[in-house]
Amino acid sequence: MQIPAPFDYARASTVDNALALLERHGPESRILAGGHSLLPMMKLRLARPEWLIDINDLFELDFIVRGADAQGADTLRIGALTRHTTLLESDQVHALFPIITDAEKVIADPIVRNRGTIGGSLCQADPAEDLSTVCEVLGAVAVIRGSGGERLLSMAEFHRGPYETAVAHNEILCELRFAVRARTGSAYEKVERRVGDWAVAAAGASVTLAADGTIEAATIGLTAVGQTGTVGAAADALLGQLPTEALFIEAGRLASVACDPIADQRGPVDYKRHLADELTRRVLRRATERAHASATSTATQEG
Amino acid sequence: MQVTMTVNGTDITEEIEPRVLLVHFIRDVLRLTGTHWGCDTSNCGTCVVLMDGQPVKSCTVLAAMADGHAITTVEGLATGAVLDPVQQGFMEEHGLQCGFCTPGMMLTARALLDHNPHPDDTEIRQAISGQICRCTGYATIVRSIKWAAEHPAAAEHGDTVQSDTAQSDTGQSHNTAQSSNTAQSQSADEVHA
Ligand SMILES: Cc1cc2nc3c(=O)[nH]c(=O)nc-3n(C[C@H](O)[C@H](O)[C@H](O)COP(=O)(O)OP(=O)(O)OC[C@H]3O[C@@H](n4cnc5c(N)ncnc54)[C@H](O)[C@@H]3O)c2cc1C
Ligand code: FES
Ligand code: FES
């Protein structure tokens, strides 16, 4: 029977209250969100916090809102306590960032998704965490609060390595911000051994088309194959080009060379490189189709 | 610490250690052993209960996190002696063999039908994809849930079970233990207990 080691429990009533509790109980206190990564680790004694600060009552962190940011840019803001299920069922998320919906369909299973949160996923920073790749691809900005105030971090600044983020012990990840771009499409695809399992490998892409149909911006991310950040070389190869199958094949090749997978029970290195290649091609195709659709609908609205 | 929650419609308050998982709270403190406990790793889904109407894996929720919430276990599916259509469906379509996965399957089915009264096969299979059945091959489970969807008012047609007093054999008098047991959870208990 797996049961966590003893700890004390406090339920926060507001973000400020949670921050005060983290300060009061010191470095051995941990935020508890959905608990679907932290509780399994505590059962296995991989984590042994002395205090759990439960943030499940913080409805102020459970939201999906579109609006202009401080600079007036069109932005989708997603609260850290938003559950996987809420993201999967959101039409707004699907319309703006289909990569999130693609990923949510294959994250864990429907029941785990009822509890797990986007904030918990990012703070867990497991190398196989699908939403980490999604946020890298979309260039998300993390909003972190501490007693001293708020700071905004890019994903490159946020992710420090496997299971390590820039969120200090006495800070809380409050939201993720995603810039909404015109003529843009995105997609995610994962290969898993069975439903609900972590990725053998997965890829995500976002493609923005210029008015002349060439690729104006592109990002490619890989999951579970030892790739830190987005695959710059593969994305650079696409810039300024017309999207063609030959181009996607080249980007796939570059992605498979750039990543650094390890052999484990989910598969050998060459298989994972093959997946990085194939999945990169597939997400580029789908993201480009969606970018075309988005460009057409924008043109129709304007016309 | 003290926790207060509603379990199958009854308010309960208990003194527990913060580390007690909801599944053990339900089984060992409340003695509602219809909720099963299997893999312990959030994979098999036999421990599924409803929290505010939503299926959750109770091996990965602290009892403390359920404080202030409403929990439904398999014992809460029947209304008095009247089976829930889902339970009736599992009987009609042979949705169980050993019965180990059954409580979790039935609660997920109930939540699915509350959300989507006319699911197709794919939607049913997706809904139960976080749960493992080692016996049936799932086909009869899917049929059972379909049966329940097609007979939403089955219970009103007088399909009842005898309410059962077997739970008093725990020797403890928890106010939640008074809910009637069902044919399904009983047979499941027989193999598991
Ligand atoms: C069976 C199973 C299968 C899974 N499969 C997948 C999968 O295929 N792909 C995938 O991506 N994920 C998968 N997951 C992980 C799932 O997505 C988790 O829900 C997620 O990783 C953690 O989210 P949580 O809200 O449960 O976080 P918790 O477990 O509550 O917390 C995780 C960590 O983040 C910290 N934390 C949480 N929220 C905050 C915050 N707002 N600010 C600061 N720190 C915070 C906690 O202190 C803890 O250290 C799976 C989980 C399970 C149990
Ligand atoms: S015992 Fe909870 S999912 Fe298996
Ligand atoms: S009936 Fe035996 S595990 Fe499902």
Side-chain angles (χ1 to χ4, degrees):
Chain A
M1 183 152 106
Q2 295 178 11
I3 292 186
F7 58 85
D8 283 310
Y9 170 95
R11 205 185 277 196
S13 53
T14 60
V15 172
D16 288 334
N17 176 234
L19 289 171
L21 287 166
L22 287 171
E23 290 288 352
R24 188 181 318 152
H25 299 301
E28 294 309 318
S29 57
R30 280 284 264 283
I31 294 288
L32 174 66
H36 273 58
S37 288
L38 185 52
L39 293 176
M41 290 208 308
M42 288 171 65
K43 288 179 178 182
L44 296 170
R45 305 294 188 274
L46 294 171
R48 246 187 121 151
E50 286 169 12
W51 274 89
L52 286 188
I53 314 300
D54 184 347
I55 60 167
N56 281 281
D57 281 355
L58 304 191
F59 300 110
E60 60 191 292
L61 296 184
D62 185 2
F63 60 83
I64 302 175
V65 184
R66 183 178 181 179
D69 72 1
Q71 284 74 45
D74 192 2
T75 305
L76 189 73
R77 299 168 48 214
I78 299 181
L81 197 66
T82 308
R83 313 267 172 200
H84 293 303
T85 299
T86 311
L87 288 170
L88 178 58
E89 291 175 354
S90 164
D91 293 336
Q92 189 175 37
V93 165
H94 180 66
L96 296 175
F97 303 108
I99 183 175
I100 298 180
T101 317
D102 287 352
E104 286 295 357
K105 280 184 190 153
V106 292
I107 290 175
D109 63 58
I111 300 173
V112 171
R113 291 198 292 262
N114 283 341
R115 298 297 297 164
T117 65
I118 185 170
S121 296
L122 284 174
C123 291
Q124 183 65 21
D126 187 305
E129 209 85 52
D130 297 292
L131 288 183
S132 298
T133 304
V134 166
C135 287
E136 298 268 8
V137 166
L138 294 177
V141 171
V143 181
I144 296 164
R145 261 177 68 188
S147 49
E150 195 175 272
R151 54 196 188 114
L152 305 187
L153 296 184
S154 70
M155 280 299 120
E157 294 161 327
F158 180 88
H159 281 124
R160 291 263 170 89
Y163 307 101
E164 209 190 326
T165 72
V167 184
H169 124 267
N170 55 355
E171 291 183 315
I172 294 179
L173 172 63
C174 288
E175 66 178 77
L176 283 310
R177 291 186 186 160
F178 301 89
V180 178
R181 295 192 184 89
R183 299 186 311 277
T184 300
S186 58
Y188 193 78
E189 191 162 327
K190 160 172 163 178
V191 168
E192 54 189 359
R193 294 177 303 176
R194 57 181 162 77
V195 171
D197 197 16
W198 298 82
V200 178
S206 174
V207 172
T208 302
L209 296 173
D212 65 359
T214 57
I215 297 173
E216 185 178 287
T219 44
I220 296 164
L222 299 170
T223 307
V225 288
Q227 170 68 33
T228 316
T230 54
V231 192
D236 290 347
L238 301 169
L239 292 186
Q241 311 282 322
L242 277 169
T244 59
E245 188 58 26
L247 199 61
F248 299 158
I249 290 172
E250 175 60 5
R253 189 188 66 79
L254 290 168
S256 80
V257 174
C259 69
D260 188 16
I262 52 160
D264 58 14
Q265 78 276 20
R266 289 190 172 80
V269 169
D270 54 351
Y271 174 52
K272 293 185 183 184
R273 278 198 200 281
H274 164 74
L275 289 179
D277 180 350
E278 175 61 29
L279 294 176
T280 297
R281 297 182 200 188
R282 290 188 197 171
V283 290
L284 281 173
R285 267 181 224 131
R286 194 141 31 93
T288 304
E289 277 166 26
R290 288 170 171 170
H292 275 301
S294 144
T296 317
S297 75
T298 318
T300 321
Q301 277 162 22
E302 284 166 2
Chain B
M1 67 176 290
Q2 202 178 58
V3 289
T4 299
M5 65 186 85
T6 310
V7 179
N8 301 331
T10 308
D11 293 337
I12 55 130
T13 298
E14 292 286 345
E15 198 61 41
I16 55 158
E17 266 191 276
R19 63 172 169 161
V20 172
L21 296 162
L22 183 57
V23 66
H24 301 308
F25 180 74
I26 291 169
R27 288 178 54 86
D28 302 342
V29 179
L30 304 181
R31 306 303 276 176
L32 292 172
T33 52
T35 300
H36 291 170
W37 164 60
C39 68
D40 223 351
T41 57
S42 351
N43 282 289
C44 76
T46 197
C47 66
V48 165
V49 300
L50 305 186
M51 187 153 137
D52 302 330
Q54 228 187 15
V56 299
K57 292 182 171 173
S58 63
C59 70
T60 314
V61 176
L62 296 171
M65 296 169 90
D67 182 60
H69 293 273
I71 301 296
T72 307
T73 69
V74 68
E75 290 89 345
L77 274 178
T79 310
V82 182
L83 289 182
D84 186 282
V86 168
Q87 295 173 302
Q88 191 72 32
F90 272 69
M91 263 168 72
E92 299 290 339
E93 299 291 341
H94 308 282
L96 64 147
Q97 289 177 25
C98 80
F100 191 69
C101 69
T102 313
M105 289 288 182
M106 293 199 301
L107 287 162
T108 299
R110 179 73 268 148
L112 169 69
L113 296 178
D114 287 345
H115 196 67
N116 174 7
H118 305 291
D120 62 26
D121 281 21
T122 309
E123 288 167 328
I124 294 174
R125 284 181 181 274
Q126 269 164 5
I128 61 169
S129 62
Q131 281 152 286
I132 293 171
C133 176
R134 285 296 189 223
C135 301
T136 63
Y138 303 99
T140 57
I141 296 179
V142 174
R143 280 207 292 273
S144 303
I145 299 173
K146 266 219 137 121
W147 191 98
E150 286 157 10
H151 301 81
E156 289 163 21
H157 300 308
D159 301 316
T160 61
V161 282
Q162 290 304 306
S163 121
D164 174 49
T165 51
Q167 287 198 342
S168 59
D169 71 7
T170 60
Q172 297 196 14
S173 60
H174 284 285
N175 43 6
T176 44
Q178 288 159 6
S179 59
S180 68
N181 210 336
T182 68
Q184 278 78 9
S185 62
Q186 245 191 317
S187 59
D189 283 353
E190 278 160 20
V191 284
H192 186 54

